[in-house]
Amino acid sequence: MSNYENKVAFISGANRGIGFETAKKLGELGMTVVLGARDVTKGKAAASELVSNGINAEAIYYDANDSASANNVYVYLDKHYGKLDILVNNAGVNHEQLMGKNNSSSVSQDALQNTFQTNLFAVIELTQKLLPLISKVPEGRIVNLSSILASLTLHSMPNSPIDPAKAFAYNASKTA
Ligand SMILES: NC(=O)c1ccc[n+]([C@@H]2O[C@H](COP(=O)([O-])OP(=O)(O)OC[C@H]3O[C@@H](n4cnc5c(N)ncnc54)[C@H](OP(=O)(O)O)[C@@H]3O)[C@@H](O)[C@H]2O)c1
């Protein structure tokens, strides 16, 4: 048995993209991966794909805009595993055009509030909910997905490759 086979990881927003690939890689190491998805049908389809590749995977409902779902994730993981080895806070949104005009002078309140809710407030809420389970293991890990676009240093450099990418809500939420 590898060191990974009794470990459990929860990855938010794991039905596609980086979250799905992260679940796949952790699963290939032998871990049990629990995929969080706001659309459970898509989550279950993603988990089925992993299971068909020999990975121990399942999907449960998690929506960063639904506070109760963070508590439900805790209840589910506690009941079925009694601990959590790795939390990957992957779910994220960018409602703005990366190269567009959504700078701090023009970004809408809706974009700001939704982006910060998903990319920051929900991350803190879910982490706080799951900390008691992570605290039960000796080497628990919490992984937060930031971005190069979070870098205040790079944004302040005129010749930086990210200089034109002024998606204010996304960038600021990832800095936070
Ligand atoms: N792609 C990049 O180049 C890049 C670079 C740096 C950092 N990142 C960060 O890496 C993470 C993943 O990026 P990605 O490119 O894989 O993004 P993506 O393909 O757009 O996937 C985002 C995932 O987050 C989920 N999600 C969005 N809002 C949610 C909510 N309210 N509740 C639960 N899940 C939600 C999506 O679910 P649905 O399928 O239901 O929409 C999807 O599963 C993000 O945090 C992103 O900011 C990405």
Side-chain angles (χ1 to χ4, degrees):
M1 182 187 278
S2 76
N3 285 340
Y4 298 112
E5 281 182 14
N6 60 358
K7 292 193 189 295
V8 181
F10 178 79
I11 305 104
S12 66
N15 54 289
R16 63 185 170 99
I18 293 170
F20 177 75
E21 290 301 321
T22 302
K24 189 175 175 192
K25 293 293 180 199
L26 295 178
E28 285 170 354
L29 289 171
M31 292 184 206
T32 296
V33 289
V34 182
L35 283 60
R38 59 180 166 176
D39 182 328
V40 182
T41 305
K42 290 179 183 171
K44 287 189 184 303
S48 294
E49 187 179 332
L50 297 181
V51 169
S52 69
N53 285 315
I55 289 169
N56 197 6
E58 62 176 330
I60 60 174
Y61 171 68
Y62 171 68
D63 188 333
N65 290 307
D66 176 2
S67 210
S69 75
N71 194 56
N72 291 341
V73 170
Y74 166 78
V75 169
Y76 184 89
L77 294 174
D78 188 34
K79 182 177 174 192
H80 291 268
Y81 301 102
K83 62 153 187 170
L84 182 63
D85 296 280
I86 300 176
L87 166 62
V88 184
N89 284 310
N90 168 79
V93 286
N94 181 355
H95 296 302
E96 306 149 282
Q97 292 291 331
L98 283 184
M99 301 294 175
K101 298 172 186 163
N102 290 301
N103 58 29
S104 55
S105 305
S106 58
V107 67
S108 72
Q109 283 296 310
D110 276 356
L112 266 177
Q113 284 175 3
N114 185 271
T115 305
F116 268 78
Q117 172 58 35
T118 305
N119 294 2
L120 180 66
F121 303 142
V123 168
I124 296 167
E125 182 177 42
L126 182 64
T127 303
Q128 289 177 341
K129 287 282 180 202
L130 299 183
L131 267 178
L133 295 177
I134 299 168
S135 300
K136 289 186 177 177
V137 302
E139 297 176 333
R141 295 286 186 272
I142 299 167
V143 180
N144 297 324
L145 274 281
S146 185
S147 169
I148 190 174
L149 298 177
S151 170
L152 299 178
T153 304
L154 285 176
H155 278 295
S156 68
M157 293 165 54
N159 296 322
S160 157
I162 67 160
D163 181 60
K166 304 301 187 198
F168 178 77
Y170 180 80
N171 297 356
S173 74
K174 289 294 178 177
T175 306

